[in-house]
Amino acid sequence: MNRPSVLLALDGGSSSYEDALTAAGFEVLAATEPEAMDRIGRDGVDLAVLDYDRGETSDEALFAFLHTDRSVPTIVLFTDEIPDWAVPDAQTRGDEYARTPNPPEALVYRLQALLIQSGGTLPGVAAVVRLDGAELEASAQGTGIRLIATT
């Protein structure tokens, strides 16, 4: 099963966020790594997190790129005001906006919700594995689940 990919463009250290997202089953791409940007241009990305407070002049262009052709659901983090270039409109209706600071676990939950809203599947959740008569097996977060219909 493919892991959903998340582009992280954060202010300061992002290792705790990377660790939390990796543990939750996401594939993390740091915007500071040149190969990450090449990959996004080639393969795309499922979700993105942009921290307006990092003050990168390229953030506006990155946000626009993520919303060209296939709009990537994005969480924009900010301290005081949503940046003008990220103001919600019809093209960014799947985005979310959150004030900082935002703990790593909270970001994981927000990204999981955003993934579900955009029609994606949570990491570690398999679709129907086997359907045998009235017995259904599936797995969620590595734990087997068996449902048996009774009459």
Side-chain angles (χ1 to χ4, degrees):
M1 171 179 280
N2 291 338
R3 297 182 309 154
S5 57
V6 178
L7 171 69
L8 284 184
L10 298 177
D11 182 28
S14 62
S15 63
S16 60
Y17 293 94
E18 290 177 25
D19 292 345
L21 288 166
T22 300
F26 288 95
E27 178 184 2
V28 179
L29 304 167
T32 55
E33 299 173 13
E35 59 272 7
M37 300 313 291
D38 291 340
R39 176 169 168 209
I40 292 168
R42 186 180 64 248
D43 302 328
V45 67
D46 297 308
L47 302 165
V49 179
L50 279 174
D51 187 350
Y52 176 62
D53 295 335
R54 74 187 196 127
E56 293 288 327
T57 56
S58 61
D59 283 348
E60 183 174 359
L62 177 58
F63 185 82
F65 175 75
L66 292 169
H67 292 83
T68 304
D69 298 328
R70 178 182 158 247
S71 188
V72 175
T74 303
I75 296 176
V76 178
L77 302 175
F78 63 98
T79 300
D80 296 320
E81 294 181 12
I82 297 173
D84 292 339
W85 48 260
V87 172
D89 63 18
Q91 195 164 4
T92 61
R93 66 178 164 256
D95 292 344
E96 288 195 14
Y97 306 87
R99 290 194 181 272
T100 55
N102 209 304
E105 295 78 20
L107 190 61
V108 167
Y109 295 137
R110 290 184 85 100
L111 285 168
Q112 288 172 333
L114 199 56
L115 184 63
I116 292 168
Q117 290 169 359
S118 66
T121 303
L122 290 176
V125 177
V128 173
V129 176
R130 183 174 56 112
L131 185 59
D132 182 27
E135 190 173 317
L136 171 73
E137 286 188 18
S139 68
Q141 300 294 342
T143 303
I145 301 169
R146 178 173 288 183
L147 303 174
I148 301 172
T150 59
T151 54

